[in-house]
């Protein structure tokens, strides 16, 4: 879904709770991933891989200048034999190493399954932030720090919700204050030391 379609969809949804809800959730996502790239893990249920959300977040990461929004797609089944590129060959074992400073975004239109829920719970206990976009899974909501649902038969489906969240995640982000690197501080100190002493009259 391109920016024009997202804008039209927002116009249709003006006055509903959905725009505020998706922007709030996107704000939680943006705040949780922090300034470093590689800390966002995206996983679906066994029957649903969130390919589109991964692609849209990649795009938003580039357009907004926030590389940390680019997710690592964690897959339930990875083809063997090196048939897929490395960035598409990350299996569920990656969740076992998830911990503090990382964000786990779970997208599950159906039952996430007890195996995934156990891994999500372990990641949360290890310090990872857990976010969920789902069809109303109560157990997943109980594990998530923040969650947004599109129940079956509701006004919005989960695909539309993902488009709104990904678009909101990259918009209106203020540029981060530039941290002074060690070299910057050293150069400033050298300038200060090399400057002539102040003249007193």
């Amino acid at each position: 879904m391109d920016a024009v379609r997202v804008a039209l969809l927002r116009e249709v949804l003006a006055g509903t709770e959905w725009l505020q809800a998706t922007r709030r959730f996107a704000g939680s996502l943006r705040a949780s991933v922090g300034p470093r790239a590689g800390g966002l893990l995206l996983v679906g249920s066994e029957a649903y891989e969130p390919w589109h959300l991964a692609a849209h977040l990649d795009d938003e990461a580039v357009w907004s200048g926030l590389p940390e929004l680019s997710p690592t797609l964690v897959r339930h089944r990875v083809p063997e034999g090196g048939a897929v590129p490395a960035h598409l060959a990350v299996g569920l074992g990656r969740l076992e190493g998830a911990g503090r400073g990382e964000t786990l975004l779970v997208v599950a239109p159906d039952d996430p399954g007890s195996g995934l829920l156990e891994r999500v719970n372990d990641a949360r206990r290890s310090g990872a932030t857990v976010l969920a976009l789902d069809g109303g899974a109560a157990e997943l909501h109980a594990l998530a720090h923040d969650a947004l649902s599109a129940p079956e038969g509701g006004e919005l489906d989960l695909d539309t919700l993902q488009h709104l969240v990904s678009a909101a995640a990259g918009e209106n982000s203020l540029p981060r204050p530039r941290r002074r690197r060690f070299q910057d501080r050293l150069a400033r100190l050298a300038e200060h030391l090399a400057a002539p002493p102040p003249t007193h009259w």
Side-chain angles (χ1 to χ4, degrees):
M1 186 178 291
D2 59 29
V4 173
R5 289 182 183 169
V6 169
L8 289 173
L9 180 58
R10 285 175 170 167
E11 197 173 306
V12 169
L13 293 172
T16 71
E17 65 182 22
W18 288 111
L19 293 185
Q20 184 176 355
T22 53
R23 284 191 168 121
R24 176 198 54 75
F25 186 86
S28 293
L29 172 61
R30 208 167 44 231
S32 71
V33 291
R36 69 185 182 89
L40 176 58
L41 304 174
L42 176 62
V43 66
S45 65
E46 189 170 354
Y48 180 84
E49 284 191 331
W51 289 96
H52 281 97
L53 182 57
H56 286 301
L57 286 172
D58 264 338
D59 289 342
E60 292 298 333
V62 172
W63 295 332
S64 65
L66 298 171
E68 59 270 26
L69 286 177
S70 184
T72 297
L73 181 63
V74 178
R75 306 178 68 189
H76 286 258
R77 288 176 299 282
V78 177
E80 294 180 8
V84 294
H87 73 285
L88 296 179
V90 179
L92 287 176
R94 174 63 179 87
L95 300 184
E96 294 168 13
R100 190 166 307 284
E102 294 183 300
T103 299
L104 177 56
L105 174 55
V106 184
V107 182
D110 49 10
D111 180 10
S114 59
L116 178 60
L117 288 172
E118 285 175 21
R119 285 181 164 96
V120 170
N121 186 44
D122 289 346
R124 179 181 170 128
R125 290 175 62 161
S126 296
T129 300
V130 176
L131 304 175
L133 287 171
D134 59 46
E139 290 178 325
L140 182 55
H141 271 246
L143 293 175
H145 292 92
D146 197 353
L148 192 56
S149 291
E152 192 174 343
E155 294 175 305
L156 292 184
D157 60 21
L158 192 60
D159 283 340
T160 304
L161 200 60
Q162 291 176 70
H163 285 296
L164 290 170
V165 167
S166 61
E171 72 181 1
N172 299 332
S173 58
L174 296 172
R176 286 199 184 88
R178 182 175 161 266
R179 289 188 180 182
R180 289 205 171 109
R181 295 179 306 170
F182 176 72
Q183 291 91 345
D184 296 336
R185 292 188 301 234
L186 193 58
R188 224 180 50 186
L189 178 61
E191 283 176 18
H192 179 70
L193 293 173
T199 305
H200 297 289
W201 298 99

